[in-house]
Amino acid sequence: MALPNIDPIDRFAARMTDGAELQVRRYGNGTGPRLVISHGNGFAVDGYRVFWQPLCDDYDVVVFDIRNHGLNEPTGADGHNYLQQAIDIGTVRDAVTERYGPAKTVGVFHSMSARAAMKQAVERGWIWDALILFDPPNVPPRGHRLYDAMRSFELRLVDYAANRPDEFVTPGDLAKLFRESRACARWDPQAIDDMARAVLRPKPDGTGYTLSCQRELEASIYLAALT
């Protein structure tokens, strides 16, 4: 059964340390433990709705897109790196607390945002009651028995991102590619449609859609995971 679309109970733009703004949306009951949720490289948090929307009955759910993704206005390559993403995650955490007040707060992050959250916690200080991290793409150091396998995997992702189609007539065209992709074969059917809409923005000339996160920027993050 398809999830009904729900509107956020609040939304605001959180200003980052370099002036960029990230769009933050609040769902849920507003009184339970607070979950701050974000997404992986090249994706957008609204595409994860089948994961986080069922949590809204019991939790104060706050979602946001990483810069140059989803609903955020493009800011280009400046700041599109793990260091700035780590700073951004801390800035969003502070902005959410300032706007909604203190609460038990858990960061829930996938892939790219999980790695950035780890970097924030290790290098800039602990700011959460807990972190729940899905698939942080951490590469072992050179000489580790799994380094070459992980390096090869990340380089395949670089090649995929740099060469993926980046313009579509409708979101349905991207959803069709997801459905035909072996990597997406086990996605929930609604997640495919949600993600296709979430990662596209209308082209300024009205002739279709383009990726919210430019494919070159997506590729740069996969490459950065090797460092």
Side-chain angles (χ1 to χ4, degrees):
M1 181 177 178
L3 287 173
N5 285 307
I6 59 173
D7 294 325
I9 58 177
D10 187 40
R11 63 192 310 152
F12 71 98
R15 184 172 293 276
M16 301 299 101
T17 55
D18 63 351
E21 292 187 342
L22 304 188
Q23 300 300 315
V24 181
R25 287 90 73 196
R26 188 189 197 190
Y27 297 85
N29 62 24
T31 60
R34 182 172 296 152
L35 306 179
V36 178
I37 302 175
S38 198
H39 59 84
N41 188 26
F43 293 133
V45 75
D46 286 349
Y48 294 65
R49 191 166 63 95
V50 295
F51 167 72
W52 57 255
Q53 187 168 315
L55 301 172
C56 291
D57 288 342
D58 299 313
Y59 296 92
D60 183 17
V61 176
V62 179
V63 302
F64 72 98
D65 295 307
I66 300 294
R67 64 172 59 210
N68 288 315
H69 289 79
L71 297 180
N72 298 319
E73 290 297 319
T75 58
D78 289 347
H80 196 88
N81 55 66
Y82 273 114
L83 174 59
Q84 186 62 55
Q85 288 176 5
I87 295 170
D88 290 351
I89 284 175
T91 303
V92 169
R93 166 70 166 82
D94 291 344
V96 168
T97 302
E98 180 178 355
R99 189 171 182 91
Y100 303 131
K104 181 176 289 187
T105 302
V106 178
V108 182
F109 300 113
H110 172 235
S111 194
M112 171 185 67
S113 65
R115 192 172 194 259
M118 293 175 69
K119 186 176 181 67
Q120 190 283 325
V122 170
E123 297 181 358
R124 306 187 67 82
W126 183 252
I127 58 175
W128 309 96
D129 290 287
L131 276 175
I132 301 174
L133 307 177
F134 297 89
D135 302 326
N138 294 329
V139 177
R142 291 179 183 271
H144 190 280
R145 63 184 179 85
L146 295 178
Y147 172 79
D148 287 338
M150 190 63 179
R151 180 179 182 275
S152 295
F153 175 68
E154 290 292 341
L155 291 177
R156 288 200 302 272
L157 291 176
V158 170
D159 182 67
Y160 156 76
N163 294 286
R164 66 182 297 189
D166 62 349
E167 293 188 353
F168 303 88
V169 177
T170 71
D173 296 328
L174 178 54
K176 182 175 183 292
L177 290 182
F178 286 155
R179 290 190 179 92
E180 295 171 348
S181 167
R182 185 175 66 177
C184 306
R186 298 180 65 185
W187 283 19
D188 183 283
Q190 180 169 340
I192 288 177
D193 291 328
D194 286 345
M195 190 65 77
R197 289 190 296 269
V199 301
L200 295 177
R201 69 174 67 249
K203 293 172 64 176
D205 61 7
T207 60
Y209 295 81
T210 188
L211 294 173
S212 293
C213 179
Q214 293 179 345
R215 56 190 181 183
E216 295 83 3
L217 296 180
E218 180 182 354
S220 74
I221 291 295
Y222 290 132
L223 192 61
L226 291 172
T227 61

